Amino acid sequence: MTKYEQFIDAEVASQALGISRATLYAYVSRGLVRTIEGPDDPRRRLYSSHDIDQLKKNKSVGRKPKDVAATTLDWGLPVLSSGITLIENGRLFYRGRDAVRLAEHATLEDIARLLWNCGDHDPFASKTELEWNAALLDLTKDLPLTERCQVLLSFVDAGRMTAWQRDNRKLWPSAAALLRSMTAAASNSQPSNLATHLHLAKVWKLDEAAADIIRCTLVLLADHELNASAFATRVVASTGASLGACLDAGLSALSGPLHGGMTSLVEILFDEVDSATDAATVVERRLRRGDGLPGFEHPLYPDGDPRAAALLPLLPRDEKRQSLIDTVAETTGKLPTVDVALVSIRRALGLAPGTALNLFAIGRTVGWIAHAFEQFQEKKLIRPRARYAGPPPENT
C-alpha cells in the first residue's frame, strides 16, 4: 500500500462529511485534515482518509455535552489540558521539543528535568543512599514486573511524602530518588547514582553502543500524553497523595494486558515468525484466523509511529524481523509501533524475555511523575460524573 492510498480527493472527502469544498478547505487551514500533493499533479490535493473518518466520528456524536463527554474516554476528544506532551501530525513533542531529535543526544535524566520543569536545577545532583535488603531483593526477583516494583518502591521513604500543598520544587529530590529506585527495582538490582541507561548497561552487561540504544529508547518512552497509566496517575495525584502512590497507580494500570501486555503479544508474533518458513506464512495464517497483528498500527500515528522509525534503524539488520515488517506493510499497509521496536531491541541485545516491558516502565516513570506534578498544581479533585444506565429508581 502506498501513502497515496490513505488519501482521497476533495470530492470524496466533501461527500463523506456532507460539507462544501470551502468548508473542507477551512478544516485544512485549521489543522483538522492533513493534505498532500497528488502523485500526478502537484496542483491537485489529496486529503487524509483517517482525518476524515475521525471528523465523521466526532460529528456523529452530536452537540449534547453528555454525548461529547462519553466519547472522551476512548481515543476521543481531549479531556483535560496539559503542557507536557503533544502528539501532532505524526510527531511527538516534549514541552514543544521534538522527542526524536532529543533522543539523539539526551539522557532520561535530561528529559526528566525538562518534563518536571526543573529549569537550571538538577535534582539528580543529590546522591541516593538507598540499598535494598538483600533478602527482600531475592524474595521479589521472581514476581511480575509491576508487583516487584510496587513492593520495592514501598520501602523508599521519599515516595511516602504527602504531596498535598507542597511546592513541586520540594518534591524534585524525591522524584529523582524514585526514578533511581524504579530503575533498580525493574532490573532487580541495587539503586545507584549512575545515569539510568548506564545503570542498566552495567546490570545487563552491555557495551557502549548497546547502552546508547537503551538511552535513546528510554527518552522516547518518557511520556505519551494521556494514556491509561498517565490518567490513573493523575487521578491519584488529584487527591494530594504521595509520589509513591502516584507511581503505584501508574504501575497498576500498566499491569493490565490491554496496556502493558502488548509487548508480550509481539513476542509471540516474533516467535511464530522464527519457527515458520517465512513471515508471509505467519501473516496469512493470522489473517485467515481473524487474529490481529500486535504491534502494528497506532491510532495516533496513521502514517507510522515515529518512535519505532527512530529506534529500529539503530539495530543490526535482522532478515526475519525485516521480512515481517515488510510483509505487514505490503499486506495491510500497517507500520510497526514502539512495541515492535522494544521487542526487537530486547532480542537484538540479548536481554531476558520481558525486558521490553521493564524498559517501558522505567522510561515512563518520568512521564508519570511529570503528570503528577502538573496535577498537583491544579489543586482540584478529578471527579467525573457517571451516566446512570441501571434500573429506574423505586417509587416512594
Side-chain angles (χ1 to χ4, degrees):
M1 178 182 289
T2 68
K3 70 175 182 177
Y4 296 110
E5 293 178 67
Q6 301 176 41
F7 287 78
I8 54 181
D9 63 25
E11 182 178 358
V12 175
S14 299
Q15 289 178 352
L17 293 173
I19 59 175
S20 67
R21 290 199 182 191
T23 302
L24 175 64
Y25 302 150
Y27 285 171
V28 171
S29 67
R30 289 159 55 192
L32 298 176
V33 178
R34 287 165 299 146
T35 180
I36 62 173
E37 293 179 354
D40 51 352
D41 184 353
R43 294 171 298 177
R44 178 172 171 258
R45 307 301 298 180
L46 298 176
Y47 303 85
S48 168
S49 57
H50 176 272
D51 294 345
I52 298 298
D53 288 342
Q54 188 62 45
L55 284 170
K56 284 175 63 179
K57 178 182 176 182
N58 292 343
K59 286 183 68 176
S60 68
V61 169
R63 297 180 179 275
K64 294 181 180 179
K66 67 178 182 179
D67 292 331
V68 173
T71 68
T72 63
L73 299 181
D74 182 25
W75 302 95
L77 300 172
V79 67
L80 54 79
S81 297
S82 174
I84 300 170
T85 297
L86 171 68
I87 300 170
E88 185 175 71
N89 295 328
R91 297 172 67 189
L92 176 66
F93 300 89
Y94 295 153
R95 296 205 183 278
R97 300 182 63 183
D98 189 306
V100 171
R101 291 181 182 175
L102 287 171
E104 294 174 359
H105 58 81
T107 65
L108 186 61
E109 285 74 16
D110 292 332
I111 302 304
R113 287 186 283 268
L114 173 66
L115 297 188
W116 300 351
N117 263 337
C118 294
D120 295 330
H121 180 76
D122 183 9
F124 297 96
S126 301
K127 305 300 181 183
T128 182
E129 304 297 332
L130 177 65
E131 183 175 343
W132 309 123
N133 178 284
L136 177 64
L137 197 61
D138 185 65
L139 188 64
T140 58
K141 67 180 181 180
D142 293 326
L143 288 176
L145 169 71
T146 51
E147 285 86 341
R148 181 170 71 249
C149 292
Q150 287 171 324
V151 169
L152 292 173
L153 288 179
S154 68
F155 289 89
V156 181
D157 291 340
R160 295 195 294 272
M161 184 183 299
T162 302
W164 175 241
Q165 294 190 343
R166 277 195 169 91
D167 190 303
N168 283 347
R169 289 172 294 185
K170 300 295 183 183
L171 295 172
W172 284 339
S174 297
L178 284 168
L179 176 58
R180 287 167 172 161
S181 301
M182 182 74 83
T183 302
S187 58
N188 194 48
S189 59
Q190 292 290 354
S192 77
N193 296 308
L194 292 172
T196 303
H197 68 287
L198 296 179
H199 177 102
L200 294 175
K202 181 178 180 180
V203 172
W204 293 336
K205 297 180 173 55
L206 302 177
D207 61 21
E208 185 177 345
D212 199 58
I213 292 174
I214 296 297
R215 177 198 59 75
C216 184
T217 302
L218 293 171
V219 168
L220 291 173
L221 293 172
D223 193 55
H224 205 235
E225 201 216 63
L226 202 61
N227 59 9
S229 54
F231 188 67
T233 298
R234 293 190 77 117
V235 171
V236 172
S238 76
T239 71
S242 66
L243 277 177
C246 294
L247 292 185
D248 192 54
L251 285 166
S252 295
L254 186 63
S255 70
L258 296 183
H259 186 15
M262 184 57 70
T263 52
S264 63
L265 296 178
V266 174
E267 290 275 13
I268 293 171
L269 176 60
F270 274 45
D271 286 340
E272 291 178 15
V273 173
D274 284 343
S275 59
T277 54
D278 55 58
T281 299
V282 174
V283 172
E284 177 63 20
R285 189 183 301 149
R286 279 180 165 260
L287 293 177
R288 282 182 177 275
R289 292 198 306 259
D291 290 348
L293 295 166
F296 289 87
E297 189 177 47
H298 195 293
L300 298 180
Y301 300 117
D303 297 324
D305 190 332
R307 299 168 298 175
L311 292 172
L312 288 170
L314 303 179
L315 304 177
R317 182 176 176 84
D318 180 275
E319 293 301 331
K320 287 197 171 184
R321 179 181 72 233
Q322 193 59 48
S323 177
L324 173 63
I325 292 172
D326 292 343
T327 300
V328 174
E330 292 166 3
T331 305
T332 69
K334 297 178 180 179
L335 298 173
T337 68
V338 74
D339 296 295
V340 168
L342 284 173
V343 172
S344 300
I345 289 166
R346 197 283 296 173
R347 290 177 172 235
L349 300 186
L351 303 175
T355 306
L357 184 60
N358 296 26
L359 285 169
F360 185 98
I362 295 167
R364 191 54 53 86
T365 296
V366 167
W368 289 338
I369 292 174
H371 281 283
F373 280 153
E374 190 173 64
Q375 193 60 48
F376 290 155
Q377 293 178 322
E378 293 292 322
K379 293 183 171 58
K380 62 183 180 182
L381 189 68
I382 294 178
R383 203 302 190 182
R385 294 295 309 277
R387 183 167 60 181
Y388 181 69
E394 296 178 346
N395 294 324
T396 56

